[in-house]
């Protein structure tokens, strides 16, 4: 999916002995959105925006070692070793000849290094520069900033498509607000900004500006504009939308004391797992301290400062725990952490209460969402049908105040709460509306200047779409059992012509480790090309049941 941006100059941060000036360049292709004021909570903002940067650059996917140079060296060395071995069976003349050739090769390599050395060193420096400075090489999408009548908030998504960050600031964070206009825009962001953020100090005046001059009509010097095109994979955009949609689902919530989060981070720093399972298991009992079991050591951490106030006993497992280290920087300035869990293997949210700011870290079910986990993050459940005219009426009503609850919109528009909820869910999944977990309201936030094609983004593959159709049409029946720590899901999937028997085996880390189906696709490919739509439907049916249980 192609995203186009046009910036009037670059975002800049200037520092001197008395003042820090932050000037963010907004996207001039979008509706004018700007803000001018001074920071009041300087240190807290510095730490929070730095944590948001950690989300932007986060990529915890497995990175295999680059063995290209070693293989090239081994190939050349193999020839020398072979020559030495063969020399043992030859006369002295052959050995002398080998020595001569080796000397010639050495002189050739020396000459090659003399001629090409400067070029190779320059090339290495160039790629190092690209890695550190080229925004497209290390950041996928510029952060999104939204300005509302009561607050402004930044949003970003990690490179590994698994972590979502949101920093909300109410207007107590600022002083001397001189001008602002509500809306959503992208801001020009580069690697150097992180270092400049660290120079913010409490004793210096710090101005904060989303530059309104970028929207002024210019008749000359048009070259000051910088146009950027970024082609994002659909999976990245889909992940962003799914995390947003996850916020609207029923969930289990509880509070964690900052020192309990510190204890968890310290434990994760001390120990590094080498094998699975790699889950965190939250054990929640009413009116008792929250307990956390860290797998695979099964060490239990009891958080005596954090009491679970829910009415039902629950055990919920989440994965991808290394991503929680992003919260470590916020611990000294956080009053409490609110944890929002949708269920085992489903997305989770950790909200740091910073007083007049809230930092939300949203985590997908997994650090890496590959085909073996397909369906486990399928949160875009079918919604009630709402016609386009009614949807637009709901959106226009919301935009009048920029944020509102479902009931408030229903009262203003005269529509039922069910219709309004369905319409808002559709807009959330299309990137035009976001649910505010802290305040329990929906907010206008258009991810892109053009509405995203939800139909194209909803499913990651044709198999996933077909699997969802089976579930919508109630064509899937499953039974489950657990044997030797493996969850066995047996299913019956009814197609147009026949009913197929399926099998999906899920390990402790909720990965699809094996499966079987009677269809021709599976018989021809097994799992080499990923699961067929019938195995996916079997797996997704289990997940849908989990969501239904959470809703009850």
């Amino acid at each position: 999916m192609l995203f186009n941006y046009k910036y009037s100059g670059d975002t800049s941060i200037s520092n001197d002995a008395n003042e820090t000036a932050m000037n963010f360049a907004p996207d001039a292709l979008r509706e004018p959105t700007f803000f001018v004021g001074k920071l009041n909570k300087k240190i807290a903002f510095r730490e929070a925006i730095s944590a948001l940067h950690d989300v932007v650059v986060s990529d915890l996917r497995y990175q295999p070692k680059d063995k290209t140079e070693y293989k090239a060296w081994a190939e050349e060395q193999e020839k020398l070793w072979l020559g030495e071995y063969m020399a043992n069976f030859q006369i002295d003349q052959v050995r002398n000849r080998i020595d001569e050739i080796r000397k010639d090769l050495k002189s050739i390599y020396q000459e090659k290094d003399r001629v090409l050395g400067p070029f190779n060193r320059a090339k290495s420096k160039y790629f190092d520069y690209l890695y550190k400075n080229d925004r497209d090489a290390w950041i996928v999408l510029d952060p999104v900033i939204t300005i509302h009548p009561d607050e402004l908030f930044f949003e970003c998504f990690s490179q590994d498509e698994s972590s979502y960050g949101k920093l909300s600031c109410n207007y107590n964070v600022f002083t001397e607000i001189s001008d602002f206009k509500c809306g959503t825009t992208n801001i020009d962001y580069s690697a150097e900004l992180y270092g400049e953020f660290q120079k913010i100090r409490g004793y210096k005046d710090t101005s904060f500006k989303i530059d309104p001059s970028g929207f002024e009509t210019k008749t000359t010097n048009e070259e000051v504009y910088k146009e950027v095109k970024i082609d994002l994979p659909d999976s990245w955009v889909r992940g962003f939308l799914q995390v947003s949609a996850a916020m609207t689902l029923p969930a289990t919530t509880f509070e964690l004391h900052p020192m309990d989060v510190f204890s968890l981070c310290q434990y994760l720093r001390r120990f590094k797992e080498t094998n699975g399972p790699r889950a965190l298991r939250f054990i929640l009992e009413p009116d008792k301290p929250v307990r956390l079991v860290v797998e695979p050591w099964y060490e239990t951490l009891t958080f005596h400062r954090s009491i679970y106030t829910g009415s039902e006993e629950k055990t919920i497992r989440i994965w991808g725990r290394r991503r929680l280290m992003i919260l470590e920087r916020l611990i000294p300035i956080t009053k409490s952490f609110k944890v929002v869990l949708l269920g085992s293997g489903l997305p989770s949210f950790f909200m740091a209460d910073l007083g007049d700011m809230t930092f939300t870290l949203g985590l997908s079910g997994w650090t890496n969402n590959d085909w073996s986990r397909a369906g486990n993050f399928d949160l875009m459940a079918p919604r009630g049908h709402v016609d386009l005219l009614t949807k637009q009426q709901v959106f226009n009503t919301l935009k009048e105040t920029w944020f509102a609850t479902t009931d408030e919109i229903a009262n203003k528009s005269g529509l039922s709460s069910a219709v309004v909820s369905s319409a808002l869910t559709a807009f959330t999944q299309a990137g035009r509306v976001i649910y505010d977990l802290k305040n329990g309201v929906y907010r206008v936030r258009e991810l892109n200047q053009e509405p995203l094609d939800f139909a194209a983004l909803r499913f990651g593959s044709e198999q996933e779409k077909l699997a969802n159709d089976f579930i919508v049409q109630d064509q899937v029946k499953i039974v489950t059992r657990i044997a030797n720590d493996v969850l066995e899901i047996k299913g019956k999937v009814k197609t147009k012509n026949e009913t197929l028997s399926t099998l999906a085996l899920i390990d402790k880390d909720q990965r699809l480790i094996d499966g079987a189906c009677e269809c021709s696709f599976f018989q021809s490919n097994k799992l080499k090309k990923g699961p067929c739509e019938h195995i996916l439907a079997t797996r997704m049916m289990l997940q849908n049941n989990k969501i239904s249980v959470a809703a009850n």
Side-chain angles (χ1 to χ4, degrees):
M1 179 169 292
L2 190 63
F3 285 77
N4 298 315
Y5 308 112
K6 183 178 181 181
Y7 300 114
S8 176
D10 300 309
T11 291
S12 62
I13 299 181
S14 59
N15 287 281
D16 58 34
N18 301 311
E19 184 180 7
T20 297
M22 294 187 290
N23 188 4
F24 293 91
D27 182 7
L29 293 178
R30 307 187 73 158
E31 290 185 10
T33 302
F34 49 83
F35 182 94
V36 180
K38 287 188 176 182
L39 274 179
N40 184 27
K41 310 294 177 95
K42 305 179 185 69
I43 302 304
F45 180 84
R46 181 191 69 193
E47 297 303 297
I49 198 70
S50 297
L52 197 71
H53 169 88
D54 292 339
V55 177
V56 171
V57 300
S58 174
D59 189 350
L60 296 180
R61 293 171 293 190
Y62 171 69
Q63 302 290 344
K65 293 183 178 179
D66 186 1
K67 298 182 179 180
T68 304
E69 293 185 3
Y70 167 75
K71 290 180 178 179
W73 172 84
E75 184 178 354
E76 293 294 330
Q77 195 67 23
E78 185 69 25
K79 298 176 183 178
L80 298 177
W81 289 335
L82 179 61
E84 291 176 352
Y85 175 77
M86 295 300 297
N88 293 326
F89 301 94
Q90 304 296 329
I91 57 177
D92 293 339
Q93 293 178 343
V94 175
R95 294 182 179 177
N96 294 335
R97 179 59 180 160
I98 290 175
D99 290 338
E100 292 176 2
I101 293 175
R102 183 174 295 173
K103 292 177 181 178
D104 291 342
L105 281 174
K106 184 178 180 179
S107 63
I108 290 173
Y109 289 147
Q110 290 175 343
E111 181 66 15
K112 177 182 177 182
D113 184 64
R114 186 187 69 80
V115 174
L116 296 179
F119 167 76
N120 290 329
R121 287 189 288 273
K123 183 173 68 172
S124 178
K125 289 182 179 179
Y126 172 71
F127 285 118
D128 287 343
Y129 173 83
L130 285 181
Y131 180 78
K132 295 177 182 178
N133 299 282
D134 188 340
R135 172 169 46 109
D136 295 348
W138 71 276
I139 188 172
V140 184
L141 181 64
D142 284 329
V144 178
I145 186 168
T146 301
I147 300 169
H148 275 197
D150 61 329
E151 68 174 34
L152 63 82
F153 55 91
F154 297 85
E155 292 178 276
C156 66
F157 205 55
S158 65
Q159 292 189 56
D160 58 15
E161 305 176 12
S162 73
S163 302
Y164 163 87
K166 178 187 175 189
L167 173 60
S168 304
C169 308
N170 68 34
Y171 288 158
N172 290 331
V173 177
F174 304 93
T175 183
E176 299 181 24
I177 299 174
S178 59
D179 195 12
F180 73 89
K181 187 176 189 330
C182 295
T184 300
T185 186
N186 293 88
I187 55 173
D188 179 54
Y189 194 87
S190 61
E192 292 83 357
L193 289 182
Y194 177 78
E196 296 299 326
F197 285 140
Q198 309 316 303
K199 299 176 183 178
I200 296 176
R201 295 292 183 269
Y203 60 83
K204 295 196 295 185
D205 288 337
T206 302
S207 62
F208 182 95
K209 180 190 292 185
I210 301 172
D211 194 1
S213 65
F215 300 100
E216 295 174 357
T217 303
K218 297 187 186 306
T219 56
T220 59
N221 297 327
E222 290 293 336
E223 65 275 6
V224 300
Y225 283 105
K226 176 177 68 174
E227 297 192 10
V228 180
K229 296 180 185 291
I230 300 180
D231 191 8
L232 295 178
D234 286 350
S235 62
W236 192 97
V237 183
R238 187 182 305 113
F240 199 122
L241 298 180
Q242 286 184 336
V243 172
S244 298
M247 295 181 185
T248 65
L249 297 178
T252 300
T253 63
F254 55 90
E255 301 282 337
L256 283 182
H257 191 278
M259 288 307 297
D260 293 330
V261 176
F262 174 76
S263 298
L264 171 59
C265 291
Q266 283 294 95
Y267 190 92
L268 295 178
R269 284 200 177 277
R270 289 174 58 200
F271 300 100
K272 174 68 174 179
E273 69 281 351
T274 57
N275 56 353
R278 297 176 171 87
L280 292 178
R281 183 184 302 173
F282 287 93
I283 300 177
L284 308 173
E285 299 177 89
D287 301 321
K288 291 185 178 180
V290 175
R291 289 187 294 148
L292 182 66
V293 178
V294 185
E295 301 175 359
W297 307 284
Y298 298 99
E299 180 76 21
T300 300
L301 304 179
T302 302
F303 300 144
H304 295 286
R305 304 176 186 87
S306 307
I307 306 300
Y308 177 60
T309 58
S311 59
E312 183 181 350
E313 183 176 336
K314 296 181 179 180
T315 299
I316 300 175
R317 298 170 75 199
I318 64 172
W319 283 261
R321 60 197 182 200
R322 292 284 165 186
R323 296 171 291 173
L324 292 176
M325 303 301 291
I326 292 172
L327 299 174
E328 196 171 28
R329 183 164 188 165
L330 299 175
I331 293 173
I333 59 173
T334 299
K335 295 181 177 180
S336 67
F337 287 91
K338 181 179 180 181
V339 182
V340 180
L341 304 179
L342 301 185
S344 295
L346 291 173
S348 56
F349 298 89
F350 293 78
M351 302 169 59
D353 181 2
L354 310 178
D356 292 317
M357 293 185 291
T358 301
F359 184 92
T360 302
L361 177 65
L363 306 177
S364 67
W366 306 90
T367 301
N368 184 24
N369 296 306
D370 59 22
W371 66 263
S372 66
R373 293 136 190 175
N376 200 58
F377 191 36
D378 182 54
L379 299 175
M380 295 184 176
R383 55 184 182 274
H385 176 73
V386 182
D387 62 83
L388 292 177
L389 187 61
T390 302
K391 283 182 185 177
Q392 194 60 46
Q393 181 184 354
V394 171
F395 186 78
N396 291 341
T397 303
L398 176 61
K399 200 164 186 179
E400 288 177 4
T401 56
W402 292 93
F403 62 92
T405 64
T406 302
D407 291 338
E408 289 172 346
I409 297 174
N411 291 334
K412 285 186 178 181
S413 62
L415 301 171
S416 68
S417 296
V419 170
V420 171
S421 180
S422 295
L424 291 174
T425 299
F427 283 121
T428 300
Q429 296 173 353
R432 303 189 68 188
V433 169
I434 186 172
Y435 184 72
D436 186 339
L437 277 173
K438 179 183 179 182
N439 299 308
V441 297
Y442 286 90
R443 294 182 179 274
V444 175
R445 189 272 280 125
E446 302 195 60
L447 188 60
N448 194 33
Q449 60 265 32
E450 298 295 333
L452 300 176
D453 185 359
F454 173 73
L457 291 171
R458 184 176 185 186
F459 302 108
S461 64
E462 183 63 24
Q463 282 83 5
E464 191 175 346
K465 180 180 183 301
L466 293 173
N468 184 76
D469 290 341
F470 287 131
I471 293 175
V472 171
Q473 297 165 13
D474 195 23
Q475 304 295 320
V476 185
K477 305 296 180 184
I478 62 171
V479 294
T480 63
R481 74 182 187 95
I482 298 177
N484 298 323
D485 294 327
V486 174
L487 174 62
E488 181 183 281
I489 312 172
K490 290 185 177 180
K492 295 289 185 181
V493 181
K494 185 177 180 181
T495 66
K496 291 182 179 179
N497 303 318
E498 56 185 337
T499 299
L500 301 172
S501 297
T502 60
L503 173 67
L505 300 181
I506 312 298
D507 70 0
K508 285 184 177 181
D509 279 329
Q510 297 292 297
R511 294 173 298 188
L512 177 68
I513 56 176
D514 202 358
C517 184
E518 297 175 332
C519 70
S520 58
F521 179 87
F522 178 82
Q523 298 301 323
S524 301
N525 303 292
K526 303 302 180 184
L527 291 176
K528 296 177 182 177
K529 294 185 178 181
C532 63
E533 59 268 26
H534 313 107
I535 295 177
L536 269 181
T538 303
R539 171 68 180 276
M540 291 166 63
M541 190 65 185
L542 177 72
Q543 194 60 63
N544 278 18
N545 289 345
K546 287 184 180 179
I547 295 176
S548 298
V549 170
N552 295 328

